[in-house]
Amino acid sequence: MQVIAKEFGQFVRSISLRKSMSELLGKRFMDPVIPFIFLVLIIGVISVFTPSYLSVGNLQSLAYQFSEFGFIALAMALVVMIGGIDLSVGSVFALSNFFALVLFNVVGLPVGLVIPATLLFGAFLGSINGFIIGILKARAFLVTLVTMIIFRAIFLLSAEHFAMRMAISFNYSDAWDFIGGGRILGIPFNALVLVAVCIIIWVLLTRSRLGWHLLAIGGARRSARNAGIPIQRMVFSTYVLSSVLCSLAGLLYAARQNSSGSDTGQSFEVLALTAVVLGGVAMSGGRGSVGRAMIGAAIIMVLTNGLVRNGASGEMSSLVLGAVLLIAVGVDVKWTKHKERAIEKIYVSPAFYQLPECPSVTADAGSAYQINDRAQNAEALGLGKLDGPEDIIFDRQNRMYAGTRDGLIVRLYGDNYEHIETFARTGGRPLGMAFDKDDNLVVCVAGMGLYMVTPDREVKKLTDETNRTWYSINDDSRLRLADDLDIAPDGKIYFSEATKRYEMEEWPLDGIECRGSGRIICYDPATDRTRTVINNLIFPNGVCVSHDNKSILFAQTWSCKLSRYWLEGPKAGKVETVIPNLPGYPDNINRSSDGKYWLALVGMRNPAYDMALSDPGFRTRMVKRIPPDEWLCPNLNNGGALKITDSGEVQETIWDPGAKSHAMITSMREHKGYLYLGGVTNNRVGRIPLPDADPNWSSCEDYWGPSSVKEKKA
């Protein structure tokens, strides 16, 4: 019951109304929330003043009309997202509509040929715009304005020429009638076609390289060109696709009405552009979605239909439509402008946390945390040549490896490790490291996930995601700050993710919150599956498989405690506290040669921050009102290392008073009679002799025994 109560408490601490609201506001579907609210309000108001407006029959009639206009709005949205505009959508619609009618009624082609012919005709019209704008690099506004006039003139001349033949010609086809007025399960066929096309376009925009290229070009064309994106081909293709969508709308309209008038498609370009802007598609390009375009189109169609149903004149309809749209756009602009500001104000959401009274760190011989200067006198290895060796480890050939701030894993060798070479480039910040049984170096790379470097120096990704938390608003499956790991005898890799809310450069904010957004994760190479085994931890960091391989030890930095997770036995799957109250902030944990463990303290606690943890209101005001460089943060500039037993008894201490040599001790590794100290802000690795340690002990052989694979040439 105590375990359940503790887990429930951690869950409650992770929940916050401010946090949930900030995450909700940050979701992409919140961008068009104002247009969506306007759509709901308009439907509600019109349904009150219009009898039977929400009846099945009227909704079906509205769906027939909306589907064709929806294609026009989608076509306009695509070219706007790529940074252009297409004023010819209405003319392409009208010309394609007439073209389909001529093919079906005058020429007498079967429906199976009319459909592809009409779409090809639309592609031809779009290729004219695409060639002039994309290949010849003319201005989209002027080009499409001219083609709008030309296409409209061709339509009017053709309609006049074929007027008599259209009047006396008639062709009948069940397929043609079904395309125009058929239903499936009561839903108009053209509406189902629109839904299918929207899904396809959505997949292209969000799940394909073409969609990413399109949005990249709209967002920053010069950067897209420098990135090697084929801009001319993409712009050409987008205008072709836009006209194909317009021609599909014209085809469906031709099948439904089986006629064409001089006003067909008139003002569609203005309405489509209004719908796109109203839905939240940025006119500058680079931002938009299928959903936004459909919301804007729905507002236009519902409002227009409602005014007509209530007997409003054309002039009055235009006046009301313009006024409503002006209000909606104004509110949406304000919403977009202030939403990010609101998120910034409420995103950091501190929680209440009460630390026990800090244990005393004194020079008294009887003190469990007896202070000394052993780290201060440590021998400096690689002095001035290493940039932040956060973790260090040794292979079977006694070579030392360290991850540095610039994304490198360097290897040091020689009698005094005087030779340094680049072993691998990770592309991110390498943190915790461990060797597996085949001498592969497994590394936590901040912001990227879990990676492996083979003895041949090939870098491979193992995993960069885990299962999503069911109650999380944000998708927390991506790994943001994997920081330490260890490997169990069965090959499973247990690693900590310090925070799933903040990126590498923002990790101090997790200490300000102290809410419990970290987790312990397990990756199984045998199944290539990743799962979270413990959630809602307060900045979990060091991870170490116990000597008996039955449990793992892990540290929680901001809560200043050490815990154990049982892998097997009667307590399997349970968590228990080993050291509930440390005098500093724990970091990495590693085995020692005598069956005990080394625990790094990255910094010492201070009373001011301990007190601030119990006052979330104070920390909230601090984040809001003063600049970050004046925040009260955990003291991470004077740490040490402890040797502890399996039960958590402190048996040995190593300190550097005044942080003269090792300001932040983030890791330590025992190897053949010496203790090696690493630090995320240090420019060296410290080496301290351990007189009572086994001079032949190494972690690789302790974990995996003598080498079982053939040594490969370095």
Side-chain angles (χ1 to χ4, degrees), residues 414-536:
D415 293 339
N416 288 303
Y417 300 100
E418 65 274 12
H419 302 296
I420 303 177
E421 65 177 0
T422 298
F423 177 66
R425 300 178 184 272
T426 63
R429 180 56 161 109
L431 298 174
M433 299 183 290
F435 278 106
D436 66 10
K437 64 179 180 179
D438 297 323
D439 294 341
N440 298 303
L441 182 59
V442 184
V443 187
C444 286
V445 183
M448 296 174 59
L450 192 66
Y451 281 72
M452 179 179 74
V453 185
T454 68
D456 294 328
R457 309 190 186 193
E458 181 183 359
V459 180
K460 298 180 179 180
K461 182 181 74 174
L462 297 180
T463 182
D464 60 357
E465 61 182 2
T466 183
N467 55 296
R468 179 173 180 175
T469 309
W470 64 267
Y471 54 81
S472 175
I473 295 176
N474 279 345
D475 184 357
D476 60 357
S477 59
R478 182 175 73 85
L479 301 180
R480 292 177 180 268
L481 190 51
D483 54 357
D484 196 30
L485 76 148
D486 209 356
I487 306 175
D490 58 4
K492 292 181 180 178
I493 303 170
Y494 293 88
F495 63 98
S496 57
E497 184 183 27
T499 173
K500 56 189 177 184
R501 274 174 59 76
Y502 297 102
E503 304 293 343
M504 173 68 181
E505 66 277 5
E506 301 172 322
W507 63 265
L509 289 174
D510 193 87
I512 298 295
E513 280 195 340
C514 203
R515 181 164 293 283
S517 60
R519 50 193 174 181
I520 300 294
I521 302 169
C522 176
Y523 170 73
D524 188 354
T527 60
D528 196 30
R529 294 186 61 184
T530 309
R531 62 183 178 89
T532 300
V533 294
I534 315 175
N535 220 330
N536 303 321

Side-chain angles (χ1 to χ4, degrees), residues 12 26 35 129 154 353-355 360 468 525 547 581 613 646 648 692:
V12 171
N129 286 332
I154 294 174
Y353 192 80
Q354 184 70 59
L355 280 172
S360 176
R468 179 173 180 175
H547 283 279
N581 188 26
L613 285 181
D646 203 59
D692 299 328

Side-chain angles (χ1 to χ4, degrees), residues 328-347:
V329 170
V331 174
D332 188 44
V333 168
K334 285 292 184 182
W335 163 260
T336 303
K337 180 179 179 180
H338 295 289
K339 186 184 67 167
E340 294 298 329
R341 188 177 301 173
I343 293 174
E344 290 178 2
K345 287 184 177 181
I346 65 175
Y347 191 82

Side-chain angles (χ1 to χ4, degrees), residues 124-191:
F124 168 73
L125 298 179
S127 67
I128 298 175
N129 286 332
F131 178 79
I132 300 174
I133 297 170
I135 308 301
L136 301 183
K137 301 180 181 180
R139 293 186 178 274
F141 182 87
L142 294 176
V143 172
T144 56
L145 178 63
V146 172
T147 54
M148 175 190 74
I149 297 172
I150 294 175
F151 293 162
R152 175 64 62 176
I154 294 174
F155 164 67
L156 295 175
L157 291 173
S158 300
E160 181 180 351
H161 178 74
F162 283 93
M164 183 63 66
R165 298 181 63 182
M166 289 282 290
I168 63 176
S169 300
F170 181 76
N171 191 8
Y172 177 78
S173 170
D174 290 333
W176 186 255
D177 291 343
F178 181 78
I179 292 174
R183 300 171 187 169
I184 299 177
L185 299 177
I187 303 175
F189 175 75
N190 59 358

